[in-house]
Structure formats: structure tokens, C-alpha cells
Amino acid sequence: MRIVSVVGGKAAEDTSAAAYDSVNPARTADIVAKVRLADGATFAWACSVASAAQREWEKVPAPVRGRVIASMGRLVEANAEELARLVTDEIGKPYAEALGEVREIVDTCDFFLGEGRRLYGQTVPSEMPDKSLFTFRVPVGVAAVITAGNFPVAVPSWYIVPALLCGNAVVWKPAEYAAASAHALYRLFAAAGLPDGVLNIVFADGPATSTGLEAALEEGTVQKVGFTGSTAVGRVIGELCGRHLQSPCLELGGKNPMVVMPDADLDLAVEGALFSGFGTAGQRCTSLGTVIVHESAHDAFVERYVRAVAAAKVGDPRGDVLYGPMLDHRFAERFEEYLGWLQPHHTVVTGATGRITTGNPRGDFDGAGGLFYHPVVVDGVRPGDRLFMEETFGPIVGVTTFGGLDEAIALANRPGYGLSSSIYTTDPKAAFRFRAGVGAGMVSVNNSTSGAEAHLPFGGNGRSGNGSRQSGMWVLDQFTRWQAMNWDYSGRLQKAQMDVAEIVPDLEFRL
């Protein structure tokens, strides 16, 4: 499969540009797609094309735009299995998870198709007679959307669908290693009847994207940046947007805590820790980082967790497995670095570490030429350890203990991330105290740190983001701006705060 950028409805290929091979991480000899990468000038040009198209798109009545979103959902639904198989082949996500990811696009479209009839403003009473006040939601303009590849189709839909619904145009830069999945989603969305230039897809590496985005911001052809990726890159994008007085939508990394109280259902907690710690090989922004377990429950929890991890199947993502390979060679190499953070006071309670090979197998599975890694549970992590403080994007989970709930909350907040969190308890008081004290944007009670629904706000604080939210009605504030209008039909100039009628009370009155 050969893939190039699409700008204004036409292929945008520079034959002199660099190429990238998107490989199947479960069988690295298999090339899924050959991707022709664009340069920064192409990205900036795409933004100017989108800017011109947006001026016509915003004139389309919002309910009609909603019908286009409905068509997107139906097209994805009709192609769900093929799209999910492509995701599995390209990034190694187990097929059941990939199919769930595709379903999330459909849910997102189903939610937002109705918002075309609910982009409500308000009529506000004026303090003066013969005068009316109104508010309107208006599109921001062009949204530059830059996404990671661990959720190559669902997360982009969180940006693209509401952005288009609100009357914006989009330039989308997906991850190179998930280019085939992204291109397939683009084709499905374009088939819904979008005018040329309203949705554009540009394949580029990081430096070219940065150069192109900076140029587009300078030219005034981008009014909103949406970014999902690492905290380090998010800081750079935030600084760049700040120089242009823009507030980006940043969804960044996480070091997501799970607190296990002494009254917790340990089997349920272990099930949640297994899924959130090792689903997608721990390569989610909401993956479990550290289990913070009460000292009285520590031994029992760890014993159950080790047993569950040992029984979990790792392997071919087309089969029934807990997780498959790392997403790409770059993530496998980075995971090797995380394993170097192990310290003498740590105890790896799950056995083997590193890449699964014939010399380092997992049972009878030898890795079969893919980027497969052993699941790792590290007991005895301490506040201040790199394994405790920093995101570890891969199949590794730390375990530490606490004595009281206040200590658990402090430990949960200490790394400075604030995306997702979880507490297992049967005590409502403890659940609500945890919710009030934790700095995460999302809190689960007796559920894992991973999981999102299309109508609930998704996003984090601190090192996990700038407080912006995706999904549900809350994301509309990212892709619209409020416009206020006053209409004075009194026939004379009425000055606010000055020509206001006053009714004088008798404040000295007493019974």
C-alpha cells in the first residue's frame, strides 16, 4: 500500500520527499504501507487551503453539517471490521480492542450528529429597556490536529468530528507509524460528502510538522491546535501557540495511580490492574502507572496480581490475547530504557523482563519475529524513583504501599500528572474523599484507569494537559468561540451602567 498526503481533495506528493515504511510490529518483516512524507511547506500550504474552504463550510447550516457527521458514522460502521483489522495489522492492537476503538468513532458521530441542532446560544435580559442581548457559538476557523498512533482512529475522531460539526476545517497530521489506518479513516470521512479542503491529511515527521505549524500560525491560517502525544512535545506546542495568543487542546501523558483500599474487592482490583496496566501493552495515556495498595492488603494483592499476569496471554494480536507487540521500533527502544530504571531496592515479582525471544521466551511463545515484551510488575517502588515519577509507555507497573487515605492521595498526586486515576473501595466516604483530593481530570471507582465514553469529558491537568477537554458537549468550547451581540431598538443611545433605571428601597424600614 502506497500512501501520500491529501490536500484540497487531491494527492499532494513530493517525489523528492523522504519515505517511511509502516511495518506490522507483530511481524516486522511485513510492510503495511509505504508512506511518502511531506515537508513543512506542504503542511503550511494545507492550512491555507483549509482556511479558504472553511469560509464556505461555515455557511452550511449546522443541522446539515450534522447530517454529514451522521453519514461518517454510518460509513465507519459499515467498514468497521476491515478498519479494525487494518489497525491490528499496523500497530499490533488486539483485534477485539481495535474493533472497540472503531466503535468509539461511531459513538462519537452518533453523539455529535445531534449537536448540529443544539449549538445553542442564549438570549440574555438587558439592564435597559428596549434592548436585547444574545450570544452565539461561532467556529474558530482552521484546526491543526496532530495525533499519536496508539489510538490511530478513535482519538483523531474526538477532534475531527466536533471540529467539522462546528463549522471548522481541519488539517490532520497522524503518526507516521499508523499512516495506513489514518488514511483509511480519512477516506471514509471524505466519502460522507465533505467539500474539498474541509478535511486534509498530511503525513510528516516531527520536525517538518513543527516547521509547518509555526509558519501557518505566523500566516494566520490556523486558529486552533489539537495535540495528543507526549508531555515534552506538548510543552513545545503550548509555547508555540502561546506566542500567537492561542490556547491549544493538549492531551498528554499520564502516570495514572490506582489506590487499593483495605476494604477493596481484591479480585476486582486485580482484574482492573491487569487490563489497565497491560492492555495495548501498556501503551495508552491512561495506562496504569503505579498501584498504591494499603499495607494490610499488599501481600494478598501482589500474590493475586502476579498469578493473573502469569496466566495472561501475550502474542499474535489477531488472536485472543491480553496484549500484542509494542507499537513500533521507537517504542520498543524506549521501553528498554525504562527497564534500565530498575533499582536494587525494586523487586520484579513477575520474572523475566525484556523482549520475548527464543532465548528469553514467555512459556512456549518466542516472540515470532515481532516487538513483543514481557509484562513487568515492580514491587517496592518509592516516591522519587523514576519508575514512580515518570510515564513508562509500555507493559510495566509499579507497586507501593500506604497507611492512610491522605497518604494515598498525596502519593497519587506526587508525579505531577493529572489524567486518570482509580480507587477500589466499598466505602463511599473514601471514594468521595479521593475524588476531591486527587488532581486527575478523570476518576474511576472500582474500575480501571483506562476507558472513555463518547459523551464524557476526557482530558487531564498538570503534566497531562492544560485543562482542555475532549468528548461530549465540553469539547465544543475548543472548536467554537462565544460571540456576544446587543441590539438596542430604543431609538436613542443607552449607555451601560450609566443609563440604568434605579428603584430606590427604604432600607431604614423596620417592623
Side-chain angles (χ1 to χ4, degrees), residues 326-374:
M326 303 298 287
L327 299 168
D328 183 77
H329 282 287
R330 72 189 74 176
F331 297 103
E333 292 166 5
R334 188 74 178 106
F335 187 65
E336 298 276 4
E337 293 183 32
Y338 302 146
L339 293 176
W341 295 356
L342 291 168
Q343 298 295 312
H345 61 269
H346 295 151
T347 303
V348 177
V349 292
T350 42
T353 66
R355 187 168 175 176
I356 299 172
T357 63
T358 52
N360 186 26
R362 178 173 170 81
D364 59 358
F365 179 60
D366 65 3
L371 303 175
F372 297 95
Y373 278 76
H374 287 279

Side-chain angles (χ1 to χ4, degrees), residues 181-199:
S181 303
H183 190 259
L185 182 64
Y186 166 82
R187 290 164 56 207
L188 290 172
F189 279 7
L194 289 172
D196 290 345
V198 170
L199 176 61

Side-chain angles (χ1 to χ4, degrees), residues 254-256 273-274 276-284 286-291 305 309 323 326 331 334-343 346-350 352-354 373-379 381 386-388 390-399:
K255 189 66 177 178
N256 307 293
L274 185 68
S276 59
F278 300 107
T280 321
Q283 299 167 108
R284 305 178 183 130
T286 56
S287 289
L288 172 61
T290 305
V291 182
Y305 197 25
V309 171
Y323 69 85
M326 303 298 287
F331 297 103
R334 188 74 178 106
F335 187 65
E336 298 276 4
E337 293 183 32
Y338 302 146
L339 293 176
W341 295 356
L342 291 168
Q343 298 295 312
H346 295 151
T347 303
V348 177
V349 292
T350 42
T353 66
Y373 278 76
H374 287 279
V376 179
V377 176
V378 183
D379 195 14
V381 298
R386 294 192 75 179
L387 281 178
F388 183 89
E390 298 184 34
E391 182 179 29
T392 48
F393 204 68
I396 184 168
V397 175
V399 179

Side-chain angles (χ1 to χ4, degrees), residues 377-444:
V377 176
V378 183
D379 195 14
V381 298
R382 300 171 184 170
D385 291 348
R386 294 192 75 179
L387 281 178
F388 183 89
M389 296 296 294
E390 298 184 34
E391 182 179 29
T392 48
F393 204 68
I396 184 168
V397 175
V399 179
T400 193
T401 60
F402 72 95
L405 182 55
D406 289 341
E407 181 186 1
I409 293 170
L411 289 169
N413 289 332
R414 177 144 185 200
Y417 292 87
L419 185 56
S420 186
S421 62
S422 174
I423 184 170
Y424 279 79
T425 182
T426 56
D427 181 2
K429 183 178 179 181
F432 279 100
R433 278 182 58 198
F434 179 75
R435 183 215 61 79
V438 75
M442 298 178 290
V443 180
S444 292

Side-chain angles (χ1 to χ4, degrees), residues 202-291:
V202 177
F203 300 100
D205 62 18
T209 303
S210 179
T211 299
L213 179 60
E214 186 167 6
L217 287 167
E218 288 284 355
E219 294 165 3
T221 54
V222 167
Q223 287 73 43
K224 190 71 181 185
V225 178
F227 173 74
T228 295
S230 72
T231 299
V233 176
R235 285 194 178 104
V236 174
I237 289 176
E239 291 170 2
L240 177 60
C241 290
R243 293 204 298 271
H244 294 272
L245 302 180
Q246 289 196 25
S247 175
C249 181
L250 300 177
E251 197 277 287
L252 310 176
K255 189 66 177 178
N256 307 293
M258 174 184 288
V259 171
V260 180
M261 297 293 286
D263 62 341
D265 180 332
L266 292 185
D267 290 332
L268 183 63
V270 164
E271 185 178 9
L274 185 68
F275 175 72
S276 59
F278 300 107
T280 321
Q283 299 167 108
R284 305 178 183 130
C285 56
T286 56
S287 289
L288 172 61
T290 305
V291 182

